[in-house]
Amino acid sequence: MKDDLFKPRHIRLAWALAGALLGAIFFLWLYGIRVLDPTNVEWLLKENGDPGQHYLGWEFYRSSAWDLPYLGMSYDVIYPHRTSVVYSDSIPLFALFFKLLDPLLGPRFQYLGIWGLLCFVLQGYFSQRIVARVGGADLREASRFAMPSTLLGVCLFLLFPALTIRMFGHTALAGNWLILIALWIFFDAEKKMQTLPKACLVWGGVGILAAGFHLYYLAMIGMVLVGVAVQQLLRRRGGALALLPIVSYCATALVELFVWGAFASNFADSEGLPYMYAADLAGLFIPQFSDTFETNIFVGPGVLLLIGVVLASFLYWKVKHKGVSFWKQYSTWIIPSIVISVLSLLASVSPTVTLAGKTLFTVPLPEWFIRFWGMFASCARLAWVAEYLLLALLCACVFRFCTLKLAMLILALCAAVQAGWQADRLIGIHNRYRDENTYHYATSLQDSSWNDLAQCGKIEHISFASFNVDTPAFWDFALLAADNDWTVNSFYLAHMNRRTASLTLLSELDALKPQTLYVFLGIDEIRTVNIPLHYYRVDGYLVGSLEELPLQDVEPTASVSIGLDKILNQDHKQPQRGENGEIMLAAGESVSGPVETIFPGRYTVTVEGSGLDHTYIYSGWHYEKDPYQQLEITFLEGTAQKMVFEFYAYSIMEGWDVSIHTLDDTPVTIESISIEANGV
C-alpha cells in the first residue's frame, strides 16, 4: 500500500509512542524504579536462582579476557573450559555493549532492570503498531478516534502471561517484543518488503536481534518468516523474495552465534536434551490444565472472551454481507497465519501431539531431528507465536466487524477480565518490589577471613568439589569469586550436561592446583580424607588449599551429617517435625533425600531415631527424567534406634537419596542421618 493511504507518519508514530508509554507505566507500577539502578544488584541475588545466574554470568564474562574472533566467550566461568555468554542467558548484546564500557562501570553493575523496562516499552510500541495495522486504525479513512482505541488492544498484549511471568525469572525470555517485530513485518510485508535488498536487510537485522537476546527467539521468529514466505508466494511476488530473506535471516544469525562463541564452547551440551517440556493443546484454553511452570500456555480468560465475541461478530458480519467473500478478501493473511500457527503449535507439543492428556498422533521424525529439536527442550514456549498471532487477529476482527464504540467496549471489557484474572499475581509483584527486604541480600560468607583471602594474593580460582548449584552457598561463593575477579570451575548454564560437569570436577580434583580455594559443600566433605590439602572451616564451610592460608586449620572428616531440612515427604514438602527438628512419620508416610551427587566408592549410611524397625529403607539415585535406579545395599545393623547400611557406587550418581517408608501405624522418628566414606 502507498503511504498516502495511511494517516500522516507523525500521527502513527505518536500513537505508537503512546503504546510505549503505556508499557513503561505498567512496568514502573509492577517493578518500581529501584530495579533500574545499575549499581543495585542485591535484588537479583536474593533468590539464588535464575536472576543471580544471569547477573553473575555477565560479571564473569565482563572480567574475562578478550579472545578474537569470539567476542562472547567467557573463560572465567567453568574454568579452565570456555563457554559463551549465550549459555548464561545474560542477554549477549547487552553484555557485549556494557563490557565495552567496563572501564566506566562500578565494581558491581547490572543492566537487567534496564532490559526489563525496554521489554515493556517495546511490547507497547510494537503491539500498538500491529493493532493499528490489522484493525485498519492507521488508514487515512479511519475515524480520528480509531488510533486512541488501539491502546485498549495494547493492554491485552501487555497482559500476556509470558511477559510478566518470565520477567526477572527467565529474564531474556521476557523479550516477547521480538515476536511482535516479526508479526509487524508479516502484517505489513507489502510495504516493508518492497524490494529484495530491503527484505533481506530487514530480516537480516531481525536475525541479529534474535541471536543476540535468546536462542528460543530464533526458532519463534523463523516460524513467522516461513509464513511471510508463503504470503509472498500467494501474492506472486517471486520465489527470490520469498526464500532469500530466510537465507539472510539464517546467515546473519549463524555468523553472530559464531562470534558469540556458541559453537566453540567446549562445555555446553550441543546435542540437545533427550526430553522435552511439551505443551498439551488443551492448555491453550483450559486454565491450569498444566501444573508445571514450563508447560502452562493458557492464553487467559480475557482472550477467551474475545474469541467468543469475535465468533459472534463474524457470524453477524457474514449475515449482513452475504455477497462478500471473506476468504477471497483476506486469504493472503489467513493462509500464512494458518501455516505459522500450525508450525508454532506442533513445535510446542513436541513430536507427540496431545489433547487433554490424550495422544492424537505422533509425527514420524528421524532421530537426528528429534535430537536437534531437543535443543529447544522447553518447547511449550514456542506456542507463544501462535498465541500472539491469535491475539492480533482477534483485535483485527473486532475493529473490522464491529463499530468503533462497540470495539472499544469489547476490548476494554476483555482487558479488564484479563487483568482481573492475574490481579493477585500482579499485585504480588507490585508489593514484592516495594518491599525493602527485596533489596537486601545477606551472603552467608560474613567472616572477615574472606576479605583476608582476597587481599593475601594466594587465591585466583575457586574449585567446587561437585556440581551442586541447588544450594544458596554455591551462589555466595560464586559472588565472592566474581567480586574478586577469580575464576570458578562450576556454574549453571543453559544446555549444560550435568553428568559432564560432574566428571569434569572429578578430574580437576585429581590434579590439585596452586592458588585455588577448594570448596566442599554438604556431603562433599566426605571426600576430603583422600585429598591432601590444608583445610579450614569458615562460616561453617569447609575449604582447602595447597598453600597455607591465614586461617585456622581443621582436620578433614570421613563422616558427614545430612541436614534433615533436605529430607522431604512424598509431595516434596517439609514433613512434620518435633520440637528439636526431628522428622515425625505416621502410618503410610515416607520421606527421602537429600538428592546429592555421589562419587564412585564405598559408603556407610546411618539413620538414628525411634521406631526404625517398623520402616522400609532403601537408597538409589535419579538423574533428571531417567528411571529411578535402586542401589544394592547391605544392612550392617538394624534396631529400633539405629539402621546402618552400606553400598558401593560404581559411577557418579546424580540425585542420590535415602528413602524411608513406614510399614504400619507405629510412630517413627528420624533424629539424624549421616554418611561416611570408606575408600572414596
Side-chain angles (χ1 to χ4, degrees):
M1 293 186 181
K2 297 181 179 179
D3 281 341
D4 59 6
L5 295 178
F6 294 96
K7 285 183 168 63
R9 179 170 296 181
H10 70 277
I11 297 294
R12 286 178 280 154
L13 178 61
W15 286 107
L17 292 176
L21 178 61
L22 191 60
I25 292 172
F26 187 38
F27 174 87
L28 293 174
W29 180 83
L30 278 175
Y31 302 102
I33 61 172
R34 297 185 67 173
V35 299
L36 300 176
D37 180 357
T39 65
N40 183 358
V41 304
E42 295 193 357
W43 61 280
L44 295 167
L45 299 166
K46 187 79 172 179
E47 301 300 326
N48 298 306
D50 289 309
Q53 173 209 356
H54 306 155
Y55 164 67
L56 289 173
W58 137 251
E59 286 288 2
F60 283 115
Y61 167 66
R62 170 188 181 183
S63 61
S64 184
W66 295 101
D67 189 5
L68 298 177
Y70 305 123
L71 295 180
M73 196 67 79
S74 175
Y75 296 86
D76 287 3
V77 64
I78 316 291
Y79 182 88
H81 301 274
R82 64 186 188 189
T83 189
S84 172
V85 69
V86 167
Y87 297 119
S88 64
D89 291 339
S90 302
I91 313 175
L93 279 174
F94 271 54
L96 176 61
F97 175 77
F98 287 106
K99 182 179 174 74
L100 294 172
L101 299 179
D102 181 57
L104 305 177
L105 308 180
R108 287 185 177 181
F109 182 90
Q110 62 87 14
Y111 48 74
L112 298 180
I114 300 171
W115 162 258
L117 176 60
L118 180 68
C119 286
F120 275 74
V121 166
L122 295 180
Q123 185 89 349
Y125 179 90
F126 286 110
S127 61
Q128 195 282 333
R129 287 286 200 182
I130 289 172
V131 173
R133 180 67 189 91
V134 298
D138 58 357
L139 295 176
R140 187 176 294 275
E141 63 185 21
S143 165
R144 62 191 179 94
F145 296 106
M147 291 297 274
S149 67
T150 60
L151 297 182
L152 295 171
V154 171
C155 291
L156 283 169
F157 281 85
L158 290 173
L159 291 168
F160 188 77
L163 176 61
T164 52
I165 289 175
R166 300 289 172 165
M167 182 57 69
F168 302 137
H170 294 158
T171 311
L173 279 172
N176 291 184
W177 55 272
L178 290 164
I179 302 173
L180 299 186
I181 284 183
L183 292 177
W184 181 40
I185 298 171
F186 166 64
F187 286 118
D188 203 18
E190 189 174 357
K191 180 181 178 183
K192 294 180 173 56
M193 298 178 62
Q194 291 177 342
T195 64
L196 182 58
K198 183 177 181 180
C200 291
L201 184 63
V202 166
W203 284 108
V206 174
I208 291 174
L209 292 176
F213 290 126
H214 200 286
L215 294 181
Y216 273 81
Y217 285 114
L218 275 175
M220 296 183 197
I221 294 174
M223 297 170 189
V224 179
L225 182 50
V226 171
V228 172
V230 172
Q231 188 181 62
Q232 296 305 307
L233 293 174
L234 290 173
R235 290 174 174 169
R236 303 181 184 279
R237 301 195 65 196
L241 199 56
L243 298 179
L244 289 184
I246 297 178
V247 175
S248 176
Y249 174 78
C250 294
T252 55
L254 289 173
V255 169
E256 183 181 6
L257 290 176
F258 171 82
V259 172
W260 290 135
F263 307 122
S265 171
N266 58 9
F267 202 80
D269 180 11
S270 61
E271 293 185 359
L273 301 175
Y275 61 86
M276 295 185 179
Y277 291 107
D280 187 294
L281 292 178
L284 286 167
F285 309 110
I286 301 177
Q288 300 303 319
F289 180 81
S290 170
D291 58 358
T292 64
F293 169 73
E294 279 293 356
T295 58
N296 194 338
I297 59 172
F298 180 52
V299 293
V303 178
L304 292 184
L305 176 60
L306 189 57
I307 292 173
V309 171
V310 166
L311 288 176
S313 301
F314 176 71
L315 293 175
Y316 174 77
W317 185 89
K318 287 291 290 182
V319 171
K320 187 175 180 181
H321 302 83
K322 292 183 180 180
V324 179
S325 172
F326 182 83
W327 175 265
K328 184 176 181 180
Q329 187 173 356
Y330 297 107
S331 61
T332 56
W333 279 11
I334 297 173
I335 295 176
S337 295
I338 293 174
V339 171
I340 295 171
S341 298
V342 169
L343 288 174
S344 172
L345 295 177
L346 282 180
S348 72
V349 298
S350 80
T352 301
V353 181
T354 61
L355 178 66
K358 305 291 185 181
T359 299
L360 299 181
F361 57 90
T362 298
V363 181
L365 296 173
E367 180 66 23
W368 67 267
F369 187 83
I370 294 177
R371 294 292 303 182
F372 169 78
W373 199 249
M375 291 190 296
F376 302 98
S378 299
C379 58
R381 304 168 181 171
L382 303 177
W384 298 350
V385 178
E387 292 177 327
Y388 271 122
L389 177 58
L390 172 65
L391 183 54
L393 294 175
L394 290 173
C395 289
C397 292
V398 167
F399 278 107
R400 293 177 183 270
F401 295 154
C402 304
T403 63
L404 182 58
K405 289 183 179 179
L406 181 58
M408 294 174 66
L409 177 62
I410 292 171
L411 291 175
L413 176 61
C414 292
V417 171
Q418 192 82 344
W421 165 61
Q422 301 182 77
D424 289 343
R425 185 172 60 82
L426 297 179
I427 292 173
I429 294 173
H430 172 86
N431 292 337
R432 175 186 173 190
Y433 285 90
R434 269 49 175 197
D435 186 348
E436 192 67 27
N437 291 327
T438 299
Y439 303 96
H440 292 285
Y441 170 73
T443 175
S444 60
L445 308 181
Q446 295 290 334
D447 197 293
S448 60
S449 298
W450 303 116
N451 292 328
D452 296 337
L453 284 181
Q455 296 172 7
C456 74
K458 292 185 176 182
I459 301 298
E460 294 183 356
H461 177 64
I462 285 184
S463 176
F464 293 92
S466 73
F467 182 74
N468 184 10
V469 299
D470 297 325
T471 169
F474 174 89
W475 298 102
D476 290 340
F477 279 101
L479 178 63
L480 176 68
D483 283 345
N484 291 285
D485 291 335
W486 297 342
T487 57
V488 293
N489 73 326
S490 181
F491 198 74
Y492 179 75
L493 299 171
H495 292 285
M496 169 181 269
N497 188 314
R498 296 171 69 98
R499 285 176 175 165
T500 301
S502 296
L503 288 169
T504 300
L505 303 186
L506 179 62
S507 62
E508 182 174 341
L509 291 172
D510 288 340
L512 301 176
K513 301 179 181 67
Q515 296 185 302
T516 300
L517 186 71
Y518 292 91
V519 179
F520 302 88
L521 300 175
I523 68 172
D524 294 335
E525 291 187 18
I526 60 179
R527 304 192 63 224
T528 58
V529 291
N530 296 314
I531 302 177
L533 295 170
H534 297 281
Y535 288 99
Y536 313 92
R537 193 171 292 278
V538 188
D539 281 324
Y541 300 115
L542 187 67
V543 298
S545 171
L546 279 175
E547 298 90 359
E548 291 190 37
L549 300 177
L551 304 171
Q552 184 65 43
D553 284 22
V554 297
E555 290 295 324
T557 178
S559 179
V560 176
S561 177
I562 296 173
L564 293 184
D565 59 315
K566 295 185 177 181
I567 309 299
L568 306 178
N569 63 22
Q570 55 264 46
D571 297 322
H572 303 289
K573 297 178 181 178
Q574 290 291 338
Q576 182 180 354
R577 299 187 181 275
E579 294 181 357
N580 298 318
E582 66 273 19
I583 296 174
M584 305 177 67
L585 300 180
E589 292 185 328
S590 65
V591 291
S592 63
V595 191
E596 296 274 8
T597 299
I598 291 288
F599 288 87
R602 191 170 71 253
Y603 298 88
T604 300
V605 177
T606 301
V607 182
E608 295 184 290
S610 63
L612 296 176
D613 54 341
H614 290 265
T615 64
Y616 169 57
I617 299 177
Y618 63 88
S619 182
W621 61 287
H622 177 238
Y623 174 71
E624 294 184 341
K625 290 194 174 184
D626 288 348
Y628 185 83
Q629 304 290 321
Q630 189 166 329
L631 290 166
E632 182 178 340
I633 65 176
T634 302
F635 278 92
L636 306 178
E637 181 178 346
T639 67
Q641 289 75 38
K642 181 185 288 188
M643 289 285 183
V644 182
F645 65 86
E646 184 181 67
F647 70 91
Y648 194 91
Y650 292 94
S651 62
I652 290 180
M653 297 185 302
E654 178 82 23
W656 171 81
D657 67 12
V658 177
S659 296
I660 304 172
H661 298 251
T662 59
L663 293 175
D664 50 42
D665 57 0
T666 301
V668 174
T669 301
I670 303 172
E671 297 176 354
S672 68
I673 302 177
S674 61
I675 181 171
E676 181 177 356
N678 301 306
V680 175

